[in-house]
Amino acid sequence: MNVTALATSAPPRSPLADRLVDNLIHRIGKDERAALPHDWLAATILTVRDDIIDRWMASTRETHAAKSKRVYYLSLEFLIGRLLRDAIANLGKNREVSQALSQLGVDLAEIEEIEPDAALGNGGLGRLAACFMESLATLDLPAYGYGIRYMNGMFRQRIDDGWQVELPENWLAHGNPWEFERRESAYFVGFGGEVTGNDAGQVHWKPAEAVEAVAVDTPVVGWRGKRVNTLRLWTAVSLDPIKLDKFNAGDHEGALAGQVRAESLVRVLYPADSTASGQELRLRQEYFFSSASIQDIVRRHIQYFGDVRTLPDKAAIQLNDTHPAVSVAELMRLLIDHHDLAFDEAWEITKATFGYTNHTLLPEALESWPLPLFERLLPRHMQIVYAINARVLREARKADGIDDEAIGAISLIDEGGERRVRMANLAFAGSHSVNGVAALHTDLMKQTVFADLHKLYPARINNKTNGITPRRWLFECNPGLTHLIRDAIGEEFLDDAAALTALAPFAEDAAFRERFAEVKRANKVALAAHIKDRMGLRLDPDAIFDVQIKRIHEYKRQLLNIIETVALYDQIRSHPERNWTPRVKLFAGKAASSYHNAKLIIKLANDVARRVNGDPSIGKLLKVAFLPNYNVSLAERIVPAADLSEQISTAGMEASGTGNMKFALNGALTIGTLDGANVEIRDHVGDENIIIFGLTADEVAAKRADGYEPRAVIEGSRELAQAVNAIASGVFSPDDPNRYQGLMAGLYEHDWFMVAADFDAYAAAQRQVDARWADRDAWRASAIRNVAQVGWFSSDRTIGEYARDIWNVL
């Protein structure tokens, strides 16, 4: 055999394949014959990254040359997920990269699967921030995202015997090829100490301790590579990382205490705040990243524009919830203490620069800090907060219709019991714009948590309904549906999600409905295979996939779903002769480490799953699964496979939700309350294409005010009473019959989240789902109408509204 002839007859490699091999050899240090999948992943990222860097630098140069105003988005979370697939898709290089790797005997899909999720967030707040960053780049708007480079994220969730176990998320164990350390962008961040002044009115803060915040940048690629923006995350370094005198004296641990203390700032997202030390760490984290970010913004502005007084003309800073609210006091400190501005001038600049997005109506989530803690940790900022408060309260005293009770609600200092600094009030007072994230949420803000501040500043609150990026949540996670839509209506929707409305007539096309069903079933088969591989549970892809995936919290009412599942299980066993709809109940989500009831709900879901899945009498009619370690990558598997989207929060308590948008965009019908963005989804898709049940926000408020008695409700509902009693008596926890007594007793005693009040309506809505599922053609038509009508919920639309109405950059 002529080996030379065979070798020369092989097709030549593409230039991209040659670049991949070159990076593998010279930057990874591996021969292609010895390379393992993780080596090919790193080589592919580095190769793609080279193209991104060129566009990144070009974007930065263009912004400098045009003297453009920049948007700065401050968020404690950025749930960006895996980046390789996202980057390749937005650059339009899917086929090119896949073919180049194939020439090298490598499957792109396989190496994408081993990229770790960036552990930079937990829930909807962080995913929204990630969608917004991608849309800012897509709309060609110069922007920086600012956050913390968490070493271990919130936690990696493992389920042991049904219980949540928290483990470190070691996503950085093997480095991160997407990031670039910027040693020149490092800032001194102080804590504690004392404040002194002189006769001239100058103030000097001398912190008792300090760390250095060092920037680490990640490029964010917009659709079609139009712009690449920057996600700047801060890591903490001790100013004296090792005390050699202690080390040489034998105190090896004490010698490293400073670095350990610094690293604690960036170790974990949301350290448990159930202890005084946990509260202090949370506040230290928030100030650390806020201070570094504000210093960086002011430094950049002065470098390029000279005069700090023009800051609002060239910088728009958006606070994503209350976590970065201390930024208001920090900017005031810099303007007054470092740039010698008078208080009044500094205050006007600050208000004109900041915007504040509120994400919750839950009082406990509107952060406040014990005044002694705040003053001990940030003594200069406490002085500034008092000065801001004095100004705001003087304005309130002069305003009409503001009585003493309203003054108390407006104050930045909560005087009810332990005196606390109200961070939401600080953010509200220090911003020119305060927005809600759904129409209902914004109306409720005006009526509830910010009612009195709204009276004082009636033009400040506005609505910006949340959105999601269709690139990740349709094109990337559901390529089958994307190709089907493109074949039907062309490619306009790829650049403008609103163009999806052209798909609506295809709901009446039988052939299209059949192809749509084939895509959905293929997604369900893929998810079922994943669950079988990970959990050993076999699922029927022809059953309805009923999905609730989100942070575990009592107001999101996973408990309502579980109790109805128990009631359904009892009904199936009691009436096997009925024509039951086969159903798969899927749950996923993390509970905060110190949230006892949320963790108990996870255990209950797993106990119910164990009993139901092990009962041969119901066959394939009902299966239940709690999928561990919910993250972006898992969501990308689940969302395209869902038939029914559970959005069942207590009305008036969910600000918006974005999972509801993702599911609808992928052809799932929503079952939900009139809460958050569900209201607007209903308005877009039509009453007949969504299943709404339960109390409205006004009815919830009225029921609470009127002395709601849940015991009578439970005892008056046969199915609810039987399910609650079964859970409470230990039917699902034979190893510990008392395990759920307290949880169920809570429903009888107060039922703040209206689980019992909404149960019968929810159960009836689920039987309506069964009836609709039986008419498969009608179900598919409704699913297609959902896809067609939710393009409005694109984050591009949302960011366009922010840019035009708040940031003044369009």
Side-chain angles (χ1 to χ4, degrees), residues 268-281:
V268 175
L269 168 67
Y270 298 143
D273 57 1
S274 54
T275 64
S277 60
Q279 289 183 31
E280 178 173 337
L281 178 56

Side-chain angles (χ1 to χ4, degrees), residues 160-163 600 603-604 606-608 610-611 726-740:
D160 286 357
D161 190 30
W163 292 102
L600 198 58
K603 175 60 173 171
L604 177 59
N606 282 287
D607 278 347
V608 170
R610 186 186 66 251
R611 172 59 62 89
I727 294 168
S729 65
V731 168
F732 296 92
S733 54
D735 58 317
D736 181 3
N738 299 323
R739 180 179 296 145
Y740 301 115

Side-chain angles (χ1 to χ4, degrees), residues 196-210:
T196 58
N198 58 27
D199 293 341
Q202 294 174 319
V203 175
H204 177 67
W205 174 31
K206 184 179 180 181
E209 66 169 304

Side-chain angles (χ1 to χ4, degrees), residues 486-500:
R486 185 166 55 193
D487 289 345
I489 66 173
E491 296 194 347
E492 185 181 353
F493 79 99
L494 297 175
D495 296 294
D496 179 7
L500 282 168

Side-chain angles (χ1 to χ4, degrees), residues 560-569 585 587 608 622 624:
L560 174 61
N561 192 349
I562 296 167
I563 293 174
E564 199 280 328
T565 302
V566 170
L568 176 61
Y569 173 56
K585 286 275 193 178
F587 297 88
V608 170
L622 182 61
V624 182

Side-chain angles (χ1 to χ4, degrees), residues 687-767:
D687 288 334
E688 67 280 9
N689 299 306
I690 191 171
I691 300 98
I692 297 295
F693 73 92
L695 300 170
T696 65
D698 288 343
E699 289 168 344
V700 168
K703 189 172 282 288
R704 287 172 176 163
D706 292 345
Y708 165 53
E709 295 183 4
R711 180 174 295 275
V713 173
I714 296 171
E715 292 174 351
S717 171
R718 178 185 176 189
E719 297 300 334
L720 173 59
Q722 288 182 353
V724 169
N725 290 337
I727 294 168
S729 65
V731 168
F732 296 92
S733 54
D735 58 317
D736 181 3
N738 299 323
R739 180 179 296 145
Y740 301 115
Q741 281 188 357
L743 189 64
M744 295 300 101
L747 297 182
Y748 278 98
E749 292 164 6
H750 48 82
D751 189 29
W752 180 255
F753 300 102
M754 300 290 158
V755 171
D758 270 348
F759 177 84
D760 282 347
Y762 177 58
Q766 288 288 17
R767 302 295 72 77

Side-chain angles (χ1 to χ4, degrees), residues 571-734:
Q571 290 179 57
I572 293 173
R573 292 190 299 170
S574 300
H575 297 282
E577 79 284 359
R578 293 180 183 172
N579 187 26
W580 295 105
T581 298
R583 188 180 290 250
V584 171
K585 286 275 193 178
L586 297 177
F587 297 88
K590 296 178 180 178
S593 302
S594 58
Y595 192 168
H596 172 76
N597 275 6
K599 297 174 81 168
L600 198 58
I601 288 168
I602 291 175
K603 175 60 173 171
L604 177 59
N606 282 287
D607 278 347
V608 170
R610 186 186 66 251
R611 172 59 62 89
V612 170
N613 298 341
D615 188 341
S617 69
I618 61 170
K620 294 183 178 180
L621 291 178
L622 182 61
K623 296 293 181 185
V624 182
F626 187 96
L627 310 184
N629 203 40
Y630 179 57
N631 57 19
V632 175
S633 296
L634 183 55
E636 289 174 313
R637 291 179 182 277
I638 297 172
V639 168
D643 296 303
L644 188 67
S645 162
E646 297 270 356
Q647 308 298 330
I648 60 175
S649 52
T650 311
M653 303 192 78
E654 182 72 84
S656 169
T658 54
N660 44 11
M661 304 168 192
K662 294 162 192 162
F663 282 115
L665 184 62
N666 283 272
L669 271 59
T670 300
I671 181 170
T673 51
L674 283 176
D675 196 26
N678 289 355
V679 178
E680 288 153 285
I681 290 176
R682 180 201 59 176
D683 293 343
H684 279 81
V685 306
D687 288 334
E688 67 280 9
N689 299 306
I690 191 171
I691 300 98
I692 297 295
F693 73 92
L695 300 170
T696 65
D698 288 343
E699 289 168 344
V700 168
K703 189 172 282 288
R704 287 172 176 163
D706 292 345
Y708 165 53
E709 295 183 4
R711 180 174 295 275
V713 173
I714 296 171
E715 292 174 351
S717 171
R718 178 185 176 189
E719 297 300 334
L720 173 59
Q722 288 182 353
V724 169
N725 290 337
I727 294 168
S729 65
V731 168
F732 296 92
S733 54

